[in-house]
Amino acid sequence: MMFHVKLTSGRRAESAGSYQKMSCRALGTLALVAALAACQSAPAPAPAAGAAAAAPAARASIDWAALQRAVGSYEAQSHFLQAPGLNARLRALLGPRYHTVMHNLQVSGPLLVEDGTYYVSGNRAHMGGIESAAIALQPASDAVRVWLVHEGREQVIEEGRNAFAWPQPVQTMIRNQAQLR
């Protein structure tokens, strides 16, 4: 970090001794400013080899009771996907794909539950087979999975490595999509 410092005094130095005192004070001030700047801009030291990685940020909590109350309702009615915890988790998981998934659920069924897994699936209006999505949520593993078809290409985005099985209707949707290829 570079600083440009201009030190001025309202009076002229009357003798060489007072000039030296002002110069020493100015240099001392400059040294202090430079030292403080170095402290603030110094990069953090690299972790030692083999050191544990920093713990990931805590995930937002999903209100499973509210989700249970929304079973059978449509997103347009109850806005269950907009609940703060679930919405934060979806945004963190999907990143820039969040809006694509939401658009791909324009025409969707109600929130359903099968074998303890909540899910919703749908497609973008007039674009089934090209733009589709499904979101599945499992309280037992506190995990979220998303199946996305965008521009005809499929991908699965999920939290963690312990993926749970898709509910049967979502599996059927995935098989049907595979037949379109």
Side-chain angles (χ1 to χ4, degrees), residues 24-39:
C24 286
R25 234 179 281 143
L27 286 175
T29 303
L30 183 59
L32 179 62
V33 168
L36 288 173
C39 288

Side-chain angles (χ1 to χ4, degrees), residues 1 10 15-16 23 25 40 63 65 68 70 74-75 83 97 102 105 113 123 130 132 140 154 156 160 167 177:
M1 183 178 287
S15 69
S23 293
R25 234 179 281 143
Q40 291 177 350
D63 184 348
Q68 178 59 42
Y74 292 83
E75 170 61 15
R97 297 171 291 209
M102 293 300 114
L105 290 173
V113 64
N123 57 265
I130 299 169
S132 302
E154 292 181 61
V156 173
Q177 178 66 34

Side-chain angles (χ1 to χ4, degrees), residues 56-162:
R59 293 191 300 194
S61 179
I62 295 173
D63 184 348
W64 298 106
L67 205 58
Q68 178 59 42
R69 288 189 300 274
V71 168
S73 67
Y74 292 83
E75 170 61 15
Q77 295 169 320
S78 65
H79 306 288
F80 55 86
L81 293 175
Q82 304 309 312
L86 176 53
N87 193 268
R89 293 271 288 273
L90 287 171
R91 287 179 182 274
L93 177 64
L94 297 169
R97 297 171 291 209
Y98 172 82
H99 293 289
T100 301
V101 170
M102 293 300 114
H103 287 305
N104 286 6
L105 290 173
Q106 284 175 333
V107 180
S108 66
L111 176 65
L112 298 172
V113 64
E114 179 182 282
D115 296 329
T117 300
Y118 297 90
Y119 68 97
V120 63
S121 61
N123 57 265
R124 195 174 297 197
H126 311 292
M127 298 191 77
I130 299 169
E131 298 290 333
S132 302
I135 298 173
L137 311 128
Q138 188 181 60
S141 61
D142 188 31
V144 178
R145 292 184 86 186
V146 176
W147 174 70
L148 172 64
V149 178
H150 179 57
E151 297 176 347
R153 289 179 299 228
E154 292 181 61
Q155 67 183 120
V156 173
I157 308 116
E158 53 198 8
E159 295 176 332
R161 296 181 183 192
N162 298 326

